[in-house]
Amino acid sequence: MLPSIEELRKMRKNLGISQKELAKISGVSQSYIARLEKGSINPTYDKVRKIFDYLNKTGQKANTIDITAEKIMSTSVVTCYPTDSIISALNLMREKGFSQLPVVTMDGKVIGSVSETDINDLLLKGATPDSLRSLIVRKVMGVTLPQLDKGSPISMIYPLLKFSSAVLIVDGGELKGIITKADILKAVEEYA
């Protein structure tokens, strides 16, 4: 039995696959995937099967690749400080195309993270865009992203990315890299 459309959407998001990428692999348009996930179309069994098979295969590959974090991590980690303004952190996220930033002290110790979701939650709770100008990252930041050492296997990293947007790679308490779902997908394509 095939999973529900909602389960397929969750699988796609957990694997870090965009609607556009899934559409290309499945031989349909990106708008078709969007309408499918919204429930506004009734897909054929064959299309759902093809989508599920691709998502399932990608997830299984990610779990069986035996490489370490050091080989797939991005070493240029963009961070912010707890004393930075929320606006400057948000601008940095937009500029770099990231949805979250690790928050570090002046000596490089990771103490939390700030994300677009954290900022959106403030707005949903009634904060005005003007009020954000006076807030600093420390007042908004959430918990630190999961941390592993550079020798950690991909099989240890992949499950963490189901619940976190990124995993930080540290060595001796020093931030060395970051791994996102996109990095896992690149590894699946390159090493599988």
Side-chain angles (χ1 to χ4, degrees), residues 40-162:
S40 61
I41 59 171
N42 192 7
T44 66
Y45 176 84
D46 288 341
K47 286 204 189 322
V48 173
R49 175 103 220 149
K50 189 173 185 178
I51 291 167
F52 172 71
D53 287 346
Y54 173 73
L55 293 172
N56 195 38
K57 187 170 134 186
T58 301
Q60 288 174 352
K61 278 185 183 178
N63 278 325
T64 60
I65 296 172
D66 190 26
I67 56 174
T68 61
E70 188 173 30
K71 291 185 179 178
I72 62 169
M73 69 184 187
S74 299
T75 55
S76 56
V77 184
V78 178
T79 62
C80 65
Y81 298 110
T83 54
D84 288 347
S85 74
I86 290 297
I87 299 299
S88 68
L90 189 57
N91 287 338
L92 187 57
M93 283 186 254
R94 283 190 193 136
E95 176 189 320
K96 300 294 184 180
F98 299 146
S99 59
Q100 80 283 322
L101 296 173
V103 180
V104 298
T105 59
M106 290 297 183
D107 61 353
K109 182 181 177 203
V110 180
I111 59 168
S113 66
V114 64
S115 70
E116 289 175 340
T117 303
D118 296 328
I119 298 166
N120 283 329
D121 286 349
L122 282 176
L123 294 170
L124 289 172
K125 290 177 183 173
T128 64
D130 279 342
S131 68
L132 293 182
R133 294 189 196 292
S134 62
L135 280 178
I136 59 173
V137 169
R138 175 179 284 123
K139 300 285 186 184
V140 179
M141 71 182 193
V143 298
T144 184
L145 296 167
Q147 298 177 34
L148 294 172
D149 65 58
K150 60 185 179 180
S152 300
I154 196 171
S155 59
M156 187 183 285
I157 299 162
Y158 181 68
L160 292 173
L161 290 173
K162 290 183 178 183

